[in-house]
Amino acid sequence: MRLYPRLANITKMLDFYSQFNPSPLSIKQFIDFGLNACEGKSFIFLRKELPVRLANIMKEITLLPDSLLRMPSVGMVSAWYAKSFEEVIAFEKVEPTTNNLEHFCKELIKIRDRHSDVVQTMAQGILELKESRGHIEPSTELSIQYFLDRLYMSRISIRMLINQHTILFGEIPRGDRHVGCIDPLCDPSMVVRDAYENARFLCDQYYLASPELQVIEHNELEKNEPIRIVYVPSHLYHMLFELFKNSMRAVMEYHSMENPEDVPPLKVTIVKGKEDICVKLSDRGGGIPRSQVDQLFKYMYSTAPQPPKSKSDLPTVPLAGYGYGLPISRLYARYFHGDIVLLSCEGYGSDAVIYLKALSDEANELLPIFNKTSSKFYKATVPTGDWSNQVRHLKKNIKKIVI
């Protein structure tokens, strides 16, 4: 098959850039550069780094099962990445003149906006596959889970780079203490209350009531001092908003037979230690069986009704959606080497703990790398259990995965 010259050149460039590993940055590096920001240096770094990150994940898209690649929504996502890659490499040999820097910044904003619906569109593509085939093979489910973690983590990292550049050099500069989208004195309790109030608004609309909030802070290093962290407030908000929605829904439904004005409160404990910042959300929503905890982080598992196909249709439960909330929230935590852990006491309630790095120079980006190891995973079959009773457990879990 003969390729057109332009398409052949793009394919050649994609092969070239995919050979390189992404260069992870720490929050401290983001801060240090932002405080002494030089648009030309940022331009030179991004015109190499963005194609590398795009090429790495684009190579993995091509390894997805053919049945999934044929879905219209997946094709749309693939086309978005190809278009963005082409637009970025157009600056490969461009001089950092004033006009070129301004054009580059506008292109980055266009790319960011183009990819704003990647999560929903890819989710729709998987629903299309499910509907077209009636079921998804277990090996395909494992490949999809592996791929989506890497796709969405790559997307988070690319948006982070673009946001830092466009906020520092393109959009209206912030007059506050923020360095790009990073707050060097982020108040986690304020982010907690903001996320709570917005989740509470949805809860009140649907259930006509909502749990109250109790917040406790413990600063182990600086006694009686308020806790401040160097972090991206929007990332923390995303995690907390999702956890609050889940907890509120659980509490209101578990206590539905009681007086809705007298439901147990949500308790948030914020702790700063030497290595970790911990934000723990505790609810009395009845908890879930231990066997289901791991399922909550799978993209093809949701306890809520499926979202409507038409945006004009109202969802049945406004506190739920595709079931992607928790997996993506965990990616936001892991992006800077934190984590989200769920602990459940079935019949009582659940604890969700957000772990963040206390030191900004240890909060490094966690990025997917395309190589032989990642390529082999897409060809892997369903694992065979090597412990007693494990084979039955694997099959049981696979059956639980519902789109």
Side-chain angles (χ1 to χ4, degrees), residues 313-346:
D313 297 334
L314 291 175
T316 306
V317 183
L319 297 185
Y322 283 103
Y324 281 31
L326 277 177
I328 291 179
S329 293
R330 186 168 67 174
L331 290 181
Y332 272 105
R334 289 180 172 178
Y335 173 50
F336 282 122
H337 279 268
D339 207 353
I340 290 181
V341 176
L342 296 183
L343 304 170
S344 174
C345 293
E346 186 184 8

Side-chain angles (χ1 to χ4, degrees), residues 50 108 111-112 158-167:
L50 286 175
L108 290 185
I111 290 170
R112 182 188 63 196
I158 289 170
R159 289 182 72 86
M160 180 70 186
L161 293 181
I162 290 177
N163 283 336
Q164 283 300 102
H165 185 90
T166 55
I167 292 173

Side-chain angles (χ1 to χ4, degrees), residues 35-50:
L35 292 175
N36 302 282
C38 173
E39 188 172 2
K41 289 183 179 180
S42 181
F43 165 77
I44 292 170
F45 173 73
L46 291 184
R47 73 178 181 183
K48 293 292 185 184
E49 184 64 17
L50 286 175

Side-chain angles (χ1 to χ4, degrees), residues 81-291:
Y81 274 85
K83 181 66 173 174
S84 298
F85 179 78
E86 183 179 357
E87 290 172 351
V88 173
I89 61 172
F91 291 90
E92 184 185 34
K93 298 178 181 179
V94 169
E95 291 296 320
T97 63
T98 301
N99 288 339
N100 287 336
L101 291 176
E102 183 179 346
H103 182 215
F104 181 69
C105 206
K106 289 179 179 178
E107 288 295 293
L108 290 185
I109 293 171
K110 188 168 68 174
I111 290 170
R112 182 188 63 196
D113 294 343
R114 176 185 297 131
H115 291 251
S116 61
D117 291 331
V118 162
V119 175
Q120 301 94 312
T121 307
M122 183 58 74
Q124 188 59 43
I126 294 169
L127 287 176
E128 292 167 359
L129 177 63
K130 170 71 175 183
E131 291 169 357
S132 68
R133 300 173 69 91
H135 72 287
I136 297 179
E137 296 295 331
S139 59
T140 302
E141 290 175 353
L142 292 174
S143 296
I144 290 174
Q145 178 73 26
Y146 177 81
F147 168 74
L148 291 182
D149 269 342
R150 297 166 72 79
L151 173 70
Y152 296 147
M153 185 67 93
S154 172
R155 178 177 177 271
I156 290 170
S157 78
I158 289 170
R159 289 182 72 86
M160 180 70 186
L161 293 181
I162 290 177
N163 283 336
Q164 283 300 102
H165 185 90
T166 55
I167 292 173
L168 288 171
F169 308 113
E171 299 171 342
I172 300 174
R174 288 181 172 176
D176 57 13
R177 62 177 180 256
H178 284 75
V179 180
C181 56
I182 301 172
D183 185 353
L185 291 172
C186 178
D187 181 352
S189 65
M190 185 177 294
V191 182
V192 165
R193 296 179 193 281
D194 189 22
Y196 165 78
E197 289 297 337
N198 287 322
R200 183 184 194 179
F201 176 77
L202 293 179
C203 189
D204 284 336
Q205 278 191 318
Y206 189 75
Y207 296 104
L208 304 180
S210 56
E212 294 297 320
L213 174 67
Q214 297 177 0
V215 181
I216 300 173
E217 282 194 29
H218 177 75
N219 192 335
E220 180 64 21
L221 302 181
E222 304 161 293
K223 303 297 184 181
N224 302 319
E225 290 293 323
I227 294 175
R228 297 292 182 266
I229 60 176
V230 184
Y231 206 68
V232 184
S234 60
H235 289 189
L236 181 57
Y237 173 88
H238 184 104
M239 296 178 243
L240 287 164
F241 182 63
E242 184 61 35
L243 293 176
F244 274 127
K245 287 193 300 178
N246 290 344
S247 288
M248 287 180 182
R249 179 176 167 228
V251 169
M252 297 310 298
E253 294 185 359
Y254 188 66
H255 296 274
S256 59
M257 302 304 293
E258 301 175 12
N259 181 355
E261 301 295 332
D262 192 31
V263 295
L266 303 179
K267 298 181 180 181
V268 174
T269 306
I270 305 171
V271 181
K272 182 175 183 179
K274 291 182 180 179
E275 185 175 330
D276 297 313
I277 305 287
C278 298
V279 182
K280 183 176 74 170
L281 169 59
S282 303
D283 68 56
R284 288 181 55 190
I288 59 173
R290 185 166 59 94
S291 62

Side-chain angles (χ1 to χ4, degrees), residues 14 17-22 49-64 69 74 77-78 80-82 84-85 115 118 122 143-158 331 366-371 374-375 378:
L14 182 62
Y17 278 103
S18 65
Q19 298 177 71
F20 299 98
N21 290 343
E49 184 64 17
L50 286 175
V52 169
R53 297 192 186 194
L54 287 167
N56 269 253
I57 199 62
M58 287 169 69
K59 279 292 188 178
E60 296 201 30
I61 292 176
T62 64
L63 296 177
L64 289 171
L69 287 174
V74 177
V77 170
S78 182
W80 289 341
Y81 274 85
S84 298
F85 179 78
H115 291 251
V118 162
M122 183 58 74
S143 296
I144 290 174
Q145 178 73 26
Y146 177 81
F147 168 74
L148 291 182
D149 269 342
R150 297 166 72 79
L151 173 70
Y152 296 147
M153 185 67 93
S154 172
R155 178 177 177 271
I156 290 170
S157 78
I158 289 170
L331 290 181
L366 178 65
L367 305 173
I369 297 172
F370 172 74
N371 54 29
S374 57
S375 299
Y378 291 96

